[in-house]
Amino acid sequence: MDIKQKASRARALLGDLVLREAIDGLRADQIAIFTGRAPDEVLIEARHMVWALDALEARLQSFSDDEAVFDRRQSKVAPQ
């Protein structure tokens, strides 16, 4: 898959309302654990889950950002 295709699919996923609802719901569930009284192991697992969700979103965003970098590099290479 080329950079532009990957970026397009990543933007589609980031803009998908069902995926957004799923990610936000999972994050809210895990954050709710922090406000209660949970054993340390459960708190650690919840923290890791939030980090994983953040990493997933960041990775998808990086695919979109890669396209912008690619386009800038191409515009510098192209004769004008």
Side-chain angles (χ1 to χ4, degrees):
M1 182 178 307
D2 73 9
I3 290 171
K4 292 201 171 277
Q5 288 173 325
K6 191 183 288 188
S8 177
R9 291 189 65 190
R11 279 192 300 277
L13 287 170
L14 286 168
D16 184 275
L17 296 178
V18 174
L19 181 61
R20 176 85 271 140
E21 186 177 335
I23 290 173
D24 290 346
L26 285 169
R27 183 178 283 116
D29 292 346
Q30 299 309 305
I31 290 172
I33 292 171
F34 300 141
T35 61
R37 292 186 175 257
D40 288 346
E41 300 84 28
V42 174
L43 291 171
I44 291 168
E45 184 177 335
R47 184 178 306 125
H48 289 168
M49 178 69 84
V50 171
W51 288 345
L53 293 168
D54 290 345
L56 172 64
E57 289 178 308
R59 180 64 56 99
L60 289 171
Q61 184 60 51
S62 77
F63 292 152
S64 181
D65 296 344
D66 288 347
E67 180 184 28
V69 171
F70 176 80
D71 288 344
R72 273 189 238 118
R73 287 182 180 163
Q74 292 296 0
S75 68
K76 289 181 181 180
V77 173
Q80 299 197 14

